Amino acid sequence: MKLPDLQKAKIRNQSEVKYCEADILRDRSLFQGKKYFLKTYGCQMNVHDSELIKNLIEGIGFIETDSLKDADLVILNTCAIRENAHDKVFGFLGRCKHEKASRKDMIISICGCMAQEPSVCEEILRKHKYVDLVFGTHNIHDLPNMLKNKMSETSIEVESIEGNVYENLEYKRDSKIEAWINIMYGCDKFCTYCIVPYTRGKQRSRRSENILKEIEKLKYEGYKEVTLLGQNVNAYGKDIEDELSFPELLARVSDTGIDRIRFVTSHPWDFTDELIDVIASRKNIMPYIHLPLQSGSSRILKLMGRRYTKEEYLELYEKIKKRIPDAAITTDIIVGFPGETAEDFEETLDVVRKCKYDNAFTFIFSKRVGTPAEKLEDPITKEEKEERLKKLNVLVNDYSLEANRKYLGKTVDVLITGPSEKGENIVCGYTETMKLVNITGGSDLIGTIAKVKIKEAKSFSLDGVIEK
């Protein structure tokens, strides 16, 4: 089978895809009562894509199961950001192959960002011919039709249809309390280490009126919190003439009156004074900001294509803290980018010491095929990278504990989202600043915003009791 040209756009209108879905609904007998197993890897965007997938396939008769052995359809929704995510998927595929050996009618499919990588498609065709269907991030809406028309050989449907943004989609949301809202797709920044622009395409923003309608509907249904999603969320609207800017959209979302609003992920380059002012002035916009640093070295930041210097990043950080003093700020940091010296790494530690982040997601650089960073010389040994990561994590965890200890004895608002893993009669939820809190209490508290007094602080969570 010839692989599709992933760079060639194939534009299809929304009504065509909807017609395919409506057509297959008349053929529910094909799938009625069959079971599906869905495993999701990666970011919030992938989690939200899985909510769409669930709604689409349950609409044609499939029933969800958490048992791989019982599944008629297996879907792995994949991530391409780091190599270990790639390894996990292919490791799990081995289990799927074992199950399919005794059940020839089992359908095994791979979707998500990995599916958009030509090298992955080639590997599947060459080594994993038991995989039945591969579909990309741009093709999810056609899934019912793809299942109906699946051929006996491996079917690959990853054509880029970047021109389309589909509206009025229905999701089977994992929560009745919190909801993810895509406000845009793709990214135009092309950081040299990042595969996202090649897997999810260039930036495409949704129309603000459709976003606001979706949030109004969620508020009517009783949702307490929405999180606006985008690969570079604060660049929203820049690709559409006469559309709202992200600060303007955020203010309109605030005007809906929904209890809590969050957004991820921000790029420092697009974080404006206007955005800071909107967050500071609106009570229902949560004072939690994820502000990826990636490196504290201006030299490495330039190699990464990040478009800011260490000094500019620190200036922005101080501006946010001055305007929103109680804001919790978290970050992403890559260790061992090609050419990173000991001095460059010390620059990163210097930023961490100055910012004292509430938390940080830290990673060793992962070379991704097709990105400019793939071609950079990388003289740093694996052992050096691991030692740097260990040193960084010790510092990050110390500051995380320090930030959490500031909550001891305080009473804070917590949106209680479900039962805790800590034991029976314990529920959990999040503060406005995205701190996880475990609370002694029953299930009747779930879905409420409660006053909670913090009794104990740990590096990654708080313990509290309901304020009487």
Side-chain angles (χ1 to χ4, degrees), residues 6-7 116-117 138 162 190-191 194-201 370-372:
L6 303 190
Q7 303 303 317
Q116 295 287 158
E117 295 184 84
H138 307 294
E162 292 180 5
F190 286 90
C191 299
C194 186
I195 196 73
V196 167
Y198 307 96
T199 58
R200 288 194 175 266
T371 62

Side-chain angles (χ1 to χ4, degrees), residues 119-138:
S119 60
V120 170
C121 294
E122 290 167 358
E123 183 174 355
I124 289 169
L125 285 175
R126 190 173 65 253
K127 296 182 180 179
H128 306 277
K129 295 183 180 180
Y130 56 89
V131 173
D132 300 285
L133 177 62
V134 181
F135 60 98
T137 57
H138 307 294

Side-chain angles (χ1 to χ4, degrees), residues 253-268:
V253 174
S254 174
D255 289 341
T256 66
I258 198 159
D259 294 85
R260 289 185 167 198
I261 303 158
R262 302 187 189 277
F263 58 90
V264 287
T265 289
S266 301
H267 192 298

Side-chain angles (χ1 to χ4, degrees), residues 43-238:
C43 68
Q44 299 96 330
M45 192 78 77
N46 276 23
V47 173
H48 194 40
D49 283 347
S50 288
E51 292 180 334
L52 174 59
I53 289 169
K54 287 180 181 182
N55 185 70
L56 288 171
I57 59 180
E58 289 185 15
I60 56 172
F62 279 96
I63 301 168
E64 187 172 13
T65 177
D66 59 4
S67 170
L68 181 63
K69 292 180 181 295
D70 294 338
D72 301 288
L73 168 65
V74 177
I75 302 176
L76 304 184
N77 189 3
T78 65
C79 172
I81 293 295
R82 281 170 286 279
E83 188 175 2
N84 66 337
H86 176 282
D87 294 341
K88 285 179 181 178
V89 171
F90 281 100
F92 193 81
L93 269 179
R95 288 180 57 190
C96 298
K97 180 182 180 181
H98 176 76
E99 291 297 329
K100 185 163 183 172
S102 58
R103 296 183 52 206
K104 301 297 184 184
D105 59 342
M106 175 187 275
I107 300 172
I108 298 175
S109 60
I110 295 176
C111 67
C113 291
M114 267 179 59
Q116 295 287 158
E117 295 184 84
S119 60
V120 170
C121 294
E122 290 167 358
E123 183 174 355
I124 289 169
L125 285 175
R126 190 173 65 253
K127 296 182 180 179
H128 306 277
K129 295 183 180 180
Y130 56 89
V131 173
D132 300 285
L133 177 62
V134 181
F135 60 98
T137 57
H138 307 294
N139 304 80
I140 292 173
H141 317 90
D142 265 341
L143 178 56
N145 202 45
M146 285 186 271
L147 289 171
K148 178 184 175 184
N149 296 321
K150 187 191 74 64
M151 309 303 287
S152 57
E153 61 181 348
T154 302
S155 175
I156 295 183
E157 299 287 343
V158 290
E159 291 93 346
S160 173
I161 49 174
E162 292 180 5
N164 275 9
V165 173
Y166 296 97
E167 299 288 1
N168 305 315
L169 298 171
E170 295 294 331
Y171 297 85
K172 184 190 176 186
R173 298 186 187 273
D174 293 333
S175 170
K176 298 295 183 185
I177 302 164
E178 312 159 284
W180 308 107
I181 308 289
N182 275 118
I183 66 168
M184 60 190 294
Y185 304 90
C187 183
D188 285 349
K189 285 293 183 284
F190 286 90
C191 299
T192 61
Y193 55 82
C194 186
I195 196 73
V196 167
Y198 307 96
T199 58
R200 288 194 175 266
K202 291 187 177 182
Q203 176 174 318
R204 290 103 60 215
S205 300
R206 291 178 60 194
R207 286 290 182 183
S208 55
E209 61 263 30
N210 293 316
I211 297 168
L212 294 168
K213 284 177 185 175
E214 186 174 351
I215 292 170
E216 290 279 10
K217 182 173 181 285
L218 290 166
K219 181 173 180 285
Y220 175 78
E221 292 172 352
Y223 280 82
K224 298 288 187 182
E225 179 176 297
V226 294
T227 299
L228 309 182
L229 290 181
Q231 256 74 37
N232 177 20
V233 70
N234 44 348
Y236 169 83
K238 291 186 175 182

